[in-house]
Amino acid sequence: MNLPPQSAPRTLVAGIGNIFLGDDGFGVETARRFAERDLPGHVEVEDIGVRGVHLAYQLLDGYDTLVLVDATARGEAPGTLYVIEHDVGGGSAAPGTPALDGHRMTPDTVLALLGTLCAGTGAEPPRRVMVVGCEPASVDEGIGLSAPVSDAVPEAVRLIEELLRNGEPSVAQASTAEAST
């Protein structure tokens, strides 16, 4: 009996954000730059932008690893990068939150919707979900990243490459499974 060769587990790097809201476009710009790299065939890069529902449905196609890239306000200096390991088993929408509200499709909401879709279809969610986030300076209306966030994009690309190569970034891990550079 000949078995087909096992392919590498599929990975999706998804840039999230609204390019019309300043630094909220960080994920989209980082994904664009990451896609310019020479990537292995099992790594896909998507500019998801504000189409969270699209991301949830795309994940039904079967990915082992998901790397979300997004502006992430956590109170540090603008341009600070974070790597956050998402608890895959803990995704559920907040009570009273409509699952398909296009204006509230945060990464947590997308992952909760994915859990619901997987339960209904028998599909498997990604085994590992990480967020590479950047502290924004401004998410006011306007096109273009602020200087500190723009300067963080090449480092974010390096971080994503390192995560996919080694599974862990070379930054100090906090006890909550997040890291900041």
Side-chain angles (χ1 to χ4, degrees):
M1 175 197 301
N2 290 336
L3 296 175
Q6 283 230 307
S7 60
R10 291 174 66 199
T11 297
L12 178 63
V13 176
I16 298 174
N18 186 335
I19 63 167
F20 299 110
L21 295 177
D23 290 340
D24 195 48
F26 165 79
V28 172
E29 177 60 19
T30 301
R32 184 187 70 74
R33 296 251 196 106
F34 185 70
E36 294 172 351
R37 305 295 237 205
D38 184 23
L39 302 173
H42 69 279
V43 175
E44 299 173 35
V45 182
E46 288 285 333
D47 168 0
I48 297 299
V50 295
R51 300 168 314 180
V53 173
H54 173 81
L55 173 61
Y57 280 102
Q58 180 168 353
L59 290 170
L60 291 176
D61 287 342
Y63 292 89
D64 182 66
T65 302
L66 170 63
V67 179
L68 296 170
V69 188
D70 198 5
T72 309
R74 301 179 68 82
E76 297 295 327
T80 301
L81 293 175
Y82 308 102
V83 175
I84 304 163
E85 186 90 26
H86 181 78
D87 178 14
V88 177
S92 62
T97 302
L100 294 176
D101 181 350
H103 298 287
R104 294 194 178 131
M105 290 305 289
T106 64
D108 285 337
T109 305
V110 168
L111 294 172
L113 173 59
L114 175 64
T116 302
L117 294 171
C118 284
T121 63
E124 291 290 323
R127 177 187 59 77
R128 187 168 190 208
V129 176
M130 295 170 283
V131 177
V132 173
C134 182
E135 187 75 39
S138 172
V139 290
D140 293 334
E141 280 188 24
I143 296 175
L145 302 176
S146 65
V149 172
S150 181
D151 291 347
V153 169
E155 179 64 13
V157 168
R158 186 202 62 77
L159 254 178
I160 296 165
E161 287 176 329
E162 193 169 323
L163 282 168
L164 297 182
R165 184 174 37 253
N166 304 326
E168 298 294 331
S170 65
V171 291
Q173 289 288 331
S175 62
T176 59
E178 61 184 64
S180 138
T181 61

